[in-house]
Structure formats: structure tokens, C-alpha cells
């Protein structure tokens, strides 16, 4: 091909790509690779902060299949912060409980609803992943975004202040420049491959098959049921619209030509009550891995969601963790210096999220291994589960863990009561407001002046909070709002009423204090104010 023909063709490809831009950027800005739940969340976080972002997906259209179904409170909180949770909550089915059966009898029951402290979401929700993605997509488009389908990332090359990306369509490829690239391109991430980052871990021996559709069964529809048997595991979870997901492990080498037949056969073998698949089913089979990328960023290119970590579907954690990766990356990227200084914030994000991914992979691995135990180990597991259920230990420990509410980032620095750097700010109701409602995309300085004796100190707490907000806004690169929690009558719009002092007792705050919360609801700093107000 002659030089001039090549450049005409190249220009045509660029025009085609630019014609589909959500925010017109010829260079700079962020490229999000992959429009799954992780990519859509990053892109939404950026566009709502009016930052230039492009999101591409190599698929010609959204994927019609659903892998994830369970959304846990921490994932829902992340979705709420980017404005997409309300519709998801409306469309989803709340799951009231999880039941564990072995040898045909129930050995433990986990009650989800009402048992989770410090969150407004009192139960996990069941909603097919395609519906969650549809809500995210619509929300992104309402904010002015456009997803470029049929465009794939083919190559990456970094310089100190930019990334050159080869973008391909069916008509050819074009090189473009971006300040940042976020690889949300799933388990087989080409971004990760381009970076040469190792995906450390292993594949499970078992394959899993699932069918989504109608079922005839007496099993409670708004609960999850785990049947552990010597033949393998069978999981039944209700879906909105009266449907069910039936999920089974298959022995290695099983012929998969009739997946519905295999799922039905496993149901007969492993479920002590009738369970019959009826009518059309959406089925699929999956090889499952446990892997974490050795690094979550390399210079200006980040890996998030399944591109960075893959888990067993036990406990339904993958999509939730990806959405949380994305939400906590979004505000950092939005406030990152486009020059080399911005990379420090990304490095901190990568360390935090890798720490979380390792814990989630370890937890889901333990749960998967537990499903598969045989012989005396199986009997020991059943005994231990029974005891943990009877003593209430299971209900105290497992739901908050599955909901990821207790996961904290490694951090240094002392805190005030339970509010230490790196922990998630619990969402508590104060009067008619929730604490997390004060997080509107910015950082937040909370001033606590809750004891009645201290309402006289309100002006001092308020002034100290204002000063700290200015200091942290500069440090976090994000605006910082101020809200004061006290027991008197609210006299400013940001005031929160803790009339009985219940919230400050729950947080273990015994005197005036200031707490800095990042836009992703993580405590960045906490200090007592005793000296400042002379008590
Ligand atoms: C059976 C099963 C059940 C599960 N259940 C749950 C559950 O209940 N709860 C839960 O939280 N998680 C669950 N998961 C995990 C969940 O499905 C994943 O964690 C989630 O899909 C990850 O989202 P993602 O956006 O990171 O990646 P993906 O959803 O894989 O999206 C990646 C996107 O990138 C695009 N892409 C790839 N390469 C390129 C390229 N080069 N250029 C452009 N685009 C590209 C792809 O087309 C795709 O759209 C389950 C998984 C399985 C297998």
C-alpha cells in the first residue's frame, strides 16, 4: 500500500473512532478498556466529574449473558455513590437468608436481612449482571457518555506523561494518546498482557455449569440454598421475576453437550427436595480460577475488576469487588495531576485494592474448598457449621464478611474510636439523613460535637473542621465538604442530628473530634479536639 493510501485509510479510521467519542478527546483524558460493570463504573465516576473519558468495548453490543447475580452492601454503596443504586434496588430481589445443606439436611442458616450493622442495605440483592450493566450504561449515557462498541485495544506504549494506544475496528487501526488507561477488559485482559504483568494463581479442577430460568421447587425463592454432597455442590438462588439460578459443579472431563440435562441430573442427585427446570433456560459452563495480578498498575496504566483478580463465584464477590475497584479509582483519576505527580495517587490505589483482592480471593477459595470436602473432613465441616450456627457465631461473622463491610486498607496513623485511617465509614442514620448521603463526590470532614455539654463548642469544632477541609482538599486533590454531627438543633445545612448520642457511642467517640473521609467513604484521618478547645 502506498504511503498516501495508508494515511487516507488511517485518517478514515480516526474519523470513525472520533465520530463515536463520548467526550471529544484527541489526546489526554482517560481511556477505559472494556464496558463490563468495572469499566462502566470507572467511566461514570469520571464523566460525572466532567473529566474527559472514552470507553471502548471490543464486542459489537452489550453481552446478553449474565454471570454475576449477587450484589452485596459494599458494592451497592459504591454504586450509590456513582448514582446508579436506586434503580438496581428497585429491580432486584432482596435475599433474606442463605441455607447450607449436607447429606440431605440443613446444617446451618445464615440470616442476612436485618443483621448488618452500619449500612442502609440490609440484604444482598439478586439481579442478573446484564440488568446491572444496563442500569450502569443508561446512567452513563444520561450523563452524556457514549460507549464505543466494536473498538478494541490492540497495543499500548507508555511515555512519562502519556500512553499511546493502538485502537482497532473492523476497518483498521489508529494510534491515539491518553493520559491514563484503565484495563477493565476481563479475566483474559489484553491490557494486562501488554503490560507483561503476571496473573498469579491457579485454576480449579472442577468446571461449573449454570441454568437461569423457571423451576418447580418448594425452595424459598428469596433465599440462597447451598447443597454440599459427595457428588459436588449445587447452589440455588432466586432471581427477580420468579426465576431461579441453579449452579452446579461438574467433575473434570464431563461431556457438556447437554448443560440443562447435566444441571437437572445434578439437582436430582444433590437436592433433597424436588427441583425441576421448566421451559427455556439460559445455560453456560465456566472454568473457575483464583488469580491476582502481580501489579495493579504500571505507570499510567491500571488494571481493575477481573483484569486484576478472578475468584471462584462462591459468595458472589467478583463483580462487587470490581465495582469497588472502579469507584475508588474514579475519584483519584479525576483529581490526579495529569503530569508525573499523579502517578503517586494511582500507586496508593493499586496497593489498597491489591490488598483487598488478596483477601477476597482467599475467602472465596476457603468457601470453594469447603464445598468440595470429602470423608472425615466433610463430617468435621458439617459439625463445625452446625455448632457455629447454633451459637450464633456464623450469623455474627459471615454476613458482614460476605458484604465486605469489615474489609479495611492497610494504613498507618491512629484513629478516634473505631474510625481509623483505612476503614470504611459506617453508614448510620442521623435524623432523616444517612451519613453517606453527605458524600457527594467530594471528600468530607465530619466534626463530632455530640455530647450536650459540647454544643457550646460547636463554633470551635466548625471552625476547626473548615480549616481541616481546606488542608485535606489540597492533599486529596478533591473538594472537601463539612458536616457537623451534634445533639443540638441543626443550625447549618450540613448539620447532622445525633440526639441521643447513639452514633458517637457506636463509633466510640467520647469527645469532640474531626474525621476526614475520602470520596470513596474511607477514613483518611481522625483526630481528637480536646486540646484545641481546652477541655
Ligand atoms: C458463574 C459465575 C457467577 C458469578 N456470580 C457473581 C456474583 O454473584 N456476584 C459477583 O460479584 N460476581 C460474580 N461473578 C464474577 C463477575 O461476573 C465478574 O467479576 C465480572 O463480570 C467482572 O466484570 P469486569 O467488568 O471486570 O469484566 P467483564 O465483565 O469480563 O468485562 C470485560 C469487558 O472487556 C471487553 N474487552 C475485552 N478485551 C477487550 C479489548 N482488547 N478491547 C476492548 N474491550 C475489551 C469485553 O468485551 C467485556 O465486555 C460470577 C462469575 C461467574 C463465572
Amino acid at each position: 500500500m502506498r504511503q498516501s493510501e495508508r494515511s487516507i485509510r488511517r485518517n478514515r479510521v480516526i474519523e470513525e473512532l472520533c465520530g463515536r467519542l463520548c467526550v471529544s478527546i484527541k489526546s489526554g483524558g482517560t481511556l477505559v478498556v472494556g464496558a463490563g460493570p468495572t469499566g462502566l463504573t470507572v467511566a461514570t465516576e469520571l464523566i460525572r466529574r466532567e473529566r474527559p473519558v472514552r470507553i471502548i468495548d471490543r464486542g459489537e453490543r452489550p453481552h446478553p449473558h449474565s454471570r454475576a447475580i449477587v450484589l452485596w452492601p459494599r458494592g451497592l454503596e459504591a454504586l450509590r455513590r456513582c448514582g446508579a443504586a436506586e434503580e438496581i434496588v428497585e429491580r432486584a430481589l432482596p435475599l433474606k437468608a442463605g441455607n447450607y445443606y449436607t447429606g440431605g439436611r440443613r446444617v446451618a442458616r445464615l440470616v442476612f436481612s436485618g443483621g448488618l450493622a452500619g449500612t442502609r442495605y440490609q440484604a444482598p440483592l439478586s439481579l442478573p449482571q446484564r440488568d446491572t450493566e444496563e442500569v450502569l450504561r443508561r446512567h452513563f449515557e444520561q450523563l452524556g457518555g457514549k460507549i464505543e462498541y466494536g473498538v478494541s485495544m490492540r497495543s499500548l506504549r507508555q511515555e512519562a506523561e502519556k500512553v499511546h494506544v493502538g485502537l482497532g475496528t473492523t476497518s483498521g487501526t489508529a494510534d491515539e494518546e491518553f493520559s491514563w488507561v484503565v484495563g477493565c477488559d476481563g479475566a483474559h485482559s489484553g491490557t494486562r498482557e501488554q503490560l507483561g504483568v503476571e496473573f498469579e494463581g491457579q485454576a480449579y479442577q472442577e468446571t461449573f455449569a449454570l441454568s437461569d430460568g423457571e423451576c418447580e421447587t418448594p425452595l424459598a425463592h428469596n433465599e440462597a440454598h447451598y447443597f454440599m454432597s459427595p457428588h459436588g455442590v449445587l447452589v440455588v438462588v432466586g432471581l427477580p421475576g420468579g426465576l431461579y439460578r441453579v449452579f452446579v459443579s461438574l467433575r473434570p472431563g464431563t461431556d457438556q453437550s447437554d448443560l440443562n440435562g447435566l444441571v437437572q441430573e445434578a439437582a436430582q442427585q444433590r437436592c433433597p427436595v424436588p427441583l425441576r427446570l421448566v421451559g427455556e433456560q439460559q445455560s453456560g459452563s465456566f472454568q473457575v480460577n483464583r488469580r491476582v495480578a502481580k501489579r495493579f498498575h504500571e505507570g499510567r496504566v491500571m488494571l481493575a475488576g477481573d483484569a486484576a483478580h478472578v475468584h471462584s463465584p462462591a459468595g458472589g464477590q467478583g463483580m462487587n469487588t470490581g465495582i469497588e475497584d472502579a469507584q475508588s479509582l474514579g475519584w483519584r483519576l479525576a483529581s490526579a495531576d495529569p503530569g508525573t505527580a499523579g502517578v503517586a495517587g494511582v500507586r496508593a490505589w493499586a496497593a489498597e485494592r491489591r490488598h483487598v483482592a488478596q483477601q477476597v480471593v482467599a475467602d472465596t477459595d476457603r468457601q470453594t474448598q469447603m464445598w468440595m470436602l470429602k470423608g472425615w473432613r466433610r463430617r468435621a465441616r458439617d459439625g463445625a457449621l452446625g455448632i457455629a450456627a447454633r451459637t450464633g457465631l456464623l450469623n455474627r461473622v459471615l454476613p458482614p464478611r460476605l458484604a465486605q463491610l469489615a474489609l479495611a486498607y492497610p494504613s498507618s496513623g491512629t484513629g478516634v474510636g473505631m474510625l481509623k485511617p483505612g476503614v470504611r465509614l459506617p453508614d448510620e442514620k442521623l435524623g432523616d439523613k444517612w451519613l453517606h448521603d453527605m458524600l457527594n463526590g467530594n471528600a468530607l470532614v465530619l466534626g463530632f460535637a455530640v455530647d450536650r455539654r459540647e454544643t457550646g463548642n460547636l463554633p470551635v469544632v466548625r471552625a476547626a473542621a473548615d480549616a481541616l477541609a481546606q488542608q485535606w482538599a489540597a492533599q486529596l486533590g478533591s473538594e472537601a465538604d463539612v458536616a457537623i454531627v451534634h445533639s443540638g438543633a441543626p443550625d447549618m445545612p450540613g448539620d447532622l442530628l445525633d440526639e441521643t448520642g447513639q452514633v458517637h457511642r457506636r463509633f466510640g467517640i467520647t469527645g469532640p473530634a474531626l474525621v476526614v473521609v475520602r470520596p470513596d467513604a474511607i477514613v483518611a484521618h481522625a483526630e481528637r479536639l480536646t486540646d484545641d478547645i481546652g477541655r
Side-chain angles (χ1 to χ4, degrees):
M1 201 188 296
R2 287 207 322 269
Q3 184 67 31
S4 56
E5 281 174 344
R6 232 184 270 134
S7 73
I8 290 169
R9 185 150 176 212
R10 184 176 178 277
N11 286 345
R12 212 175 288 137
V13 174
I14 291 176
E15 271 166 30
E16 190 187 324
L17 290 168
C18 290
R20 300 195 240 170
L21 295 192
C22 60
V23 174
S24 180
I25 30 172
K26 299 251 165 58
S27 68
T30 301
L31 173 71
V32 178
V33 183
T38 308
L40 288 166
T41 308
V42 180
T44 302
E45 279 296 303
L46 289 167
I47 203 166
R48 79 187 182 104
R49 290 179 164 87
E50 298 177 357
R51 294 298 188 274
V53 58
R54 281 178 67 179
I55 176 166
I56 58 166
D57 199 289
R58 70 177 172 194
E60 289 297 329
R61 61 191 65 81
H63 296 281
H65 303 296
S66 279
R67 287 177 288 160
I69 53 169
V70 181
L71 280 156
W72 289 96
R74 190 141 175 191
L76 285 165
E77 287 182 356
L79 288 168
R80 196 200 64 78
R81 284 193 292 278
C82 71
E86 221 167 278
E87 191 182 339
I88 287 174
V89 171
E90 268 168 31
R91 289 169 68 161
L93 171 77
L95 295 173
K96 215 172 67 185
N99 304 285
Y100 294 83
Y101 303 80
T102 176
R105 67 187 176 91
R106 187 166 75 189
V107 284
R109 179 171 165 83
L110 264 190
V111 181
F112 299 131
S113 52
L116 292 167
T119 178
R120 74 186 72 185
Y121 300 111
Q122 282 300 298
L125 301 181
S126 164
L127 187 71
Q129 182 169 334
R130 64 168 173 274
D131 294 14
T132 301
E133 287 180 19
E134 187 196 312
V135 174
L136 279 167
R137 235 179 0 254
R138 205 176 30 252
H139 185 55
F140 176 65
E141 284 163 359
Q142 277 163 359
L143 292 168
K146 186 162 179 224
I147 302 155
E148 299 173 54
Y149 285 105
V151 182
S152 65
M153 183 283 301
R154 302 236 172 116
S155 62
L156 287 174
R157 186 170 53 81
Q158 295 199 58
E159 287 175 14
E161 300 210 343
K162 58 188 166 200
V163 191
H164 299 268
V165 186
L167 296 180
T169 65
T170 44
S171 0
T173 58
D175 279 335
E176 306 227 12
E177 285 172 18
F178 297 90
S179 296
W180 307 99
V181 174
V182 192
C184 306
D185 44 351
H188 304 286
S189 167
T191 311
R192 193 183 60 236
E193 201 174 293
Q194 291 280 330
L195 294 178
V197 170
E198 220 177 301
F199 208 21
E200 297 173 323
Q202 290 143 293
Y204 290 93
Q205 272 191 338
E206 292 79 6
T207 308
F208 294 86
L210 65 80
S211 288
D212 288 352
E214 247 179 89
C215 277
E216 282 173 0
T217 180
L219 291 170
H221 178 246
N222 60 350
E223 300 191 0
H225 308 269
Y226 302 86
F227 299 94
M228 299 172 286
S229 87
H231 306 285
V233 71
L234 170 88
V235 182
V236 184
V237 185
L239 292 169
L243 306 180
Y244 286 87
R245 164 163 294 183
V246 185
F247 182 83
V248 302
S249 60
L250 302 176
R251 284 188 203 285
T254 305
D255 172 13
Q256 295 179 22
S257 47
D258 175 14
L259 284 175
N260 282 340
L262 284 174
V263 173
Q264 183 63 72
E265 194 185 315
Q268 264 146 11
Q269 206 174 41
R270 304 174 196 177
C271 181
V273 298
L275 175 65
R276 201 167 72 83
L277 311 188
V278 185
E280 204 181 316
Q281 302 280 325
Q282 279 213 341
S283 38
S285 71
F286 302 87
Q287 183 74 46
V288 183
N289 288 266
R290 51 176 185 278
R291 293 182 193 277
V292 180
K294 195 158 188 172
R295 293 184 298 285
F296 279 23
H297 92 110
E298 191 73 65
R300 306 188 147 268
V301 183
M302 283 68 71
L303 298 170
D306 275 19
H309 44 79
V310 286
H311 335 135
S312 147
Q317 302 286 312
M319 180 176 72
N320 286 269
T321 312
I323 287 170
E324 292 156 34
D325 291 346
Q327 209 268 330
S328 65
L329 179 60
W331 72 268
R332 283 190 188 270
L333 276 187
S335 51
D337 180 307
T340 41
V343 176
V346 165
R347 196 175 300 130
W349 167 85
E352 288 180 352
R353 294 312 300 173
R354 191 162 188 278
H355 173 80
V356 165
Q358 282 174 315
Q359 291 189 48
V360 174
V361 168
D363 272 3
T364 53
D365 184 46
R366 265 192 293 276
Q367 206 173 329
T368 312
Q369 305 291 355
M370 203 181 76
W371 282 354
M372 307 296 176
L373 293 177
K374 296 198 171 88
W376 68 267
R377 289 191 177 84
R378 186 162 66 88
R379 288 191 293 280
R381 170 200 68 196
D382 297 346
L385 265 177
I387 293 169
R390 280 194 298 281
T391 56
L393 183 71
L394 201 66
N395 270 305
R396 275 198 305 280
V397 174
L398 211 49
R401 202 155 176 113
L402 288 167
Q404 298 195 6
L405 293 175
L407 272 179
Y409 296 142
S411 184
S412 54
T414 52
V416 177
M418 65 182 282
L419 301 181
K420 299 187 171 65
V423 306
R424 162 191 161 275
L425 176 77
D427 192 13
E428 297 286 349
K429 194 152 194 200
L430 290 139
D432 58 353
K433 292 181 191 155
W434 285 88
L435 209 41
H436 282 202
D437 288 342
M438 309 313 287
L439 286 163
N440 290 318
N442 297 333
L444 174 69
V445 176
L446 282 172
F448 286 88
V450 267
D451 190 310
R452 273 190 195 287
R453 286 170 303 149
E454 284 153 9
T455 43
N457 295 321
L458 255 178
V460 182
V461 174
R462 207 183 290 284
D466 286 340
L468 198 63
Q470 281 189 13
Q471 187 189 323
W472 276 84
Q475 199 156 326
L476 292 173
S478 157
E479 279 177 45
D481 300 322
V482 170
I484 309 294
V485 184
H486 62 86
S487 53
D491 57 4
M492 297 279 278
D495 285 2
L496 296 163
L497 185 64
D498 186 15
E499 208 167 5
T500 59
Q502 190 186 346
V503 168
H504 91 275
R505 273 196 301 281
R506 257 193 219 144
F507 289 173
I509 294 180
T510 52
L514 296 178
V515 176
V516 181
V517 186
R518 304 184 332 198
D520 55 354
I522 299 296
V523 173
H525 168 83
E527 64 183 71
R528 289 178 209 286
L529 268 180
T530 317
D531 292 343
D532 304 48
I533 60 174
R535 287 182 66 230

